[in-house]
Amino acid sequence: MDENLYQDFEGPADEPQRQPQSTPEFAPRLEGVQAGHDVLVSGGDIRVTNYVAELAHLRPHIIDRGAVLGSNLFVEPPVHYGKAPAHVFPGAAPLANSVRVLLGSEASGRRTAALRMLDLMLPPGHRIFELFPDWEEPDVARLPSEPETGYVLNLSGVQEPLGERFHEQLDEYARRVAALGTKLVVIAGEHVWNKGEESSRTVPVTVLRVGRPDVRKVALRRIGDDAHQAGRMGWLQDTSGVFAGLLSGDEPPADGVRLAEIILQATSVHDAQARDRFLGWEERLTAWFGSSDGKAPEHRALQIAAAFLDGSPARTVLDAADALLADTGINWPAREGGPLAGADDTQRCAVADVHFAMDGTVSISKPRPGIDRALLRHVWRKRPQLVPILTRWLCEISKPGGIADGSLGRLAESLTYIAESEGPSAVLDLTHDWLLTGKARHVDLAVDVLDRLSVEQSLGSSVRKELSAWAKAVTRPERQRAVVAVCRGRLGREYTSIALTRLRYVLDRARDPQVRQEAEGALREMLTKELVSARVLQTLVEWGAGADVEAPSREAFLKVFVLDTAVGAADPTVALLTSAGPEGRVVRQLLKEGWRAVWRRPEAREEAANVLGSWCDAADEGGLPAEAVEEIVAVVFTEEADSLGDDLDKVIGGASAFRKRLRARFVDVVRETAARRSATETGQAA
């Protein structure tokens, strides 16, 4: 059973169980007619203009239609069309528009409703994809429109209104795709849609307002779906037990799923710990943090350390707890007798109600799932005076060689949850403090947190905006470096266009040449990623054609192919030149366009000649495909048709068979150019 039933947003993170990834088979094909565009073939050269334009589309993420809720689990939510109730499941007329908008709160289950709607609107076997807002400004032109295909445009977490132009474009899109059998459902908040009431049947976009389904029905259906435990459905109304009354009916549907799972795992209808788990462990946390026992600070320090470092070795957790007690803000006195005083590790954990495992690790959540997050939320909200102390403590234990040096991944996970719960400002300042240290481990931890937050469901949009400001921060190179590192990770894979824009800001604004080199390195690395390489290459070509001739980003196309001798540096050349099939032809076309533009700039020609010469050397030695290299190098011949310049000689000079073939091709180009000129002059004379 999908544990994310009725979740509004399943972002494109690196978690296969949460979001299936798109694969090259979903890319538009070059042959024939694709998405309403003709692809022309002429003389063996494929005109890829339409395909290249489609690289700008939002990348589709395939949805497993088998995982979409069926009638046995789906609870129809209240839906309004204009001011009147509407019955849109199973999506019958009169609401037959190809484009629909579901407006609702973040926790209304609108994504589940959108997928259910598309599943009912499309025949079996037709594909459904999810799209995420990988753009700086909303742009309907970036929406794909494959025939007989369904799309969910997931705008969860977006805060800015879409704007009038978007609405106009969406109406045009709806009219265009109606004949293609394309179906699109947009999910957004009312403030994002930001458009007046329209319910006329002549409007091409149907706007529906979706409320929350009855959460009690959600829970009942989930419990009833388990044939072995269906009898537990009565526990929700059994007033002699502990679960009755926990749901009033208006809670987020995800709460119904969560309570159902807890009931299915409970020991009995009287399982008080299961009830407390659903309520966020309120009773347990009150017991831990509500007493005035003289030993309470020691226990709480261990519980806090275990919450941050859940699953870490016992020595790490216990030493971190001691370090927290020793902080000047707490100033807990050291035990007399040092290591000989006090209880041993297992007893300390037992007294603090923390699980000590046989493998020597410590976990606060194993006996009470989710209490680690609940405890962190409790501390941040109920004891705000402790927050600056914890911030200082986190910096100390995470430093290179520090107590938690081997558990930075777990720390990053905990901090990400705090940001999700309390807002990004709760941890962004901390990440910047880590960046300022310049220590590799601190920097890695900061980048890990930013990497997670940049694609997080509700905060990602605001964090990506913050990264934009960081990328432009010319006096804060440590922030620019962090942006570059984040763009190498999930942000670059899942929000490629946004990552490229931030890298461009760094290239054009950075004062430190080393920072620019790091940004170029990130671009090289992105060019080696199969799913995004063509889009990255197209963007570099576009930058090179930019009007600002002084912008460093204009040189990025050339710079990414200059050999980086650093250990482990990515080299995209082989991956690009050996890519096969239609995508390979697109890549070679983009390479030709890029090199032609570079060669036309005299100031760049010497460095370009060195790069292309190295490609020819590699082709001579069999390291690169000679046919592809020749095809690309030949585009510069028309720029040198009058004479064999020194720069071109670096490329085609030499005694190898491959170099001789290149020179013969150059001669052919010279002759063809001369013939065209002669014909032109003759025509003018006549």
Side-chain angles (χ1 to χ4, degrees), residues 634 637-639 641 664-674 676:
F637 291 167
T638 55
E639 309 301 322
R665 186 161 180 170
F666 172 71
V667 171
D668 289 341
V669 170
V670 172
R671 288 172 176 167
E672 290 172 4
T673 302
R676 283 195 300 270

Side-chain angles (χ1 to χ4, degrees), residues 640-663:
E640 293 277 354
D642 290 329
S643 62
L644 181 60
D646 291 341
D647 291 323
L648 186 59
D649 186 55
K650 294 178 183 177
V651 180
I652 65 176
S656 71
F658 178 69
R659 280 340 209 283
K660 290 178 180 178
R661 194 169 79 208
L662 282 177
R663 285 196 296 276

Side-chain angles (χ1 to χ4, degrees), residues 302 312-319 345 349 356 360-362:
L302 181 50
S312 297
R315 194 69 265 148
T316 298
V317 176
L318 291 165
D319 287 350
D345 294 351
C349 289
F356 192 108
T361 59
V362 166

Side-chain angles (χ1 to χ4, degrees), residues 582-615:
E583 289 75 22
R585 294 196 289 274
V586 171
V587 165
R588 289 193 291 278
Q589 179 67 22
L590 289 169
L591 287 171
K592 288 192 287 186
E593 292 178 12
W595 282 115
R596 183 183 290 113
V598 169
W599 200 266
R600 287 173 178 169
R601 303 203 309 271
E603 74 280 4
R605 193 169 292 176
E606 180 179 359
E607 192 167 25
N610 291 334
V611 173
L612 291 178
S614 69
W615 286 17

Side-chain angles (χ1 to χ4, degrees), residues 191-375:
H191 66 289
V192 175
W193 185 246
N194 194 34
K195 189 179 182 183
E197 192 75 43
E198 288 188 8
S199 58
S200 169
R201 301 193 188 284
T202 62
V203 175
V205 175
T206 298
V207 179
L208 304 166
R209 285 164 174 81
V210 183
R212 291 173 175 172
D214 189 326
V215 68
R216 293 165 298 192
K217 292 182 179 178
V218 172
L220 287 170
R221 290 201 182 183
R222 172 64 189 93
I223 297 170
D225 192 57
D226 189 325
H228 298 292
Q229 303 288 355
R232 299 190 177 204
M233 294 171 67
W235 290 11
L236 289 172
Q237 290 82 36
D238 187 348
T239 55
S240 69
V242 298
F243 301 107
L246 291 181
L247 297 175
S248 64
D250 191 43
E251 294 88 352
D255 282 2
V257 176
R258 188 165 61 88
L259 179 57
E261 296 290 353
I262 289 173
I263 288 177
L264 289 170
Q265 298 169 20
T267 58
S268 73
V269 71
H270 305 293
D271 189 340
Q273 179 161 295
R275 179 182 185 276
D276 196 24
R277 175 184 171 187
F278 177 74
L279 295 175
W281 298 106
E282 291 179 2
E283 293 182 5
R284 177 54 51 185
L285 293 174
T286 299
W288 283 350
F289 287 86
S291 71
S292 56
D293 182 355
K295 288 289 187 179
E298 284 189 295
H299 303 159
R300 291 167 187 163
L302 181 50
Q303 290 155 353
I304 291 171
F308 272 105
L309 298 166
D310 197 67
S312 297
R315 194 69 265 148
T316 298
V317 176
L318 291 165
D319 287 350
D322 290 339
L324 178 57
L325 288 168
D327 186 274
T328 55
I330 297 176
N331 202 27
W332 188 255
R335 302 184 191 90
E336 290 187 21
L340 293 177
D344 62 20
D345 294 351
T346 55
Q347 289 175 309
R348 286 182 65 185
C349 289
V351 172
D353 221 351
V354 173
H355 179 72
F356 192 108
M358 294 292 292
D359 62 0
T361 59
V362 166
S363 173
I364 197 172
S365 66
K366 187 170 183 178
R368 299 181 179 89
I371 200 171
D372 52 335
R373 294 187 168 198
L375 187 151

Side-chain angles (χ1 to χ4, degrees), residues 105-125:
S105 67
E106 293 282 353
S108 62
R110 59 194 177 181
R111 177 180 180 273
T112 299
L115 292 175
R116 173 68 173 165
M117 183 177 291
L118 281 174
D119 193 51
L120 292 167
M121 292 168 72
L122 290 165

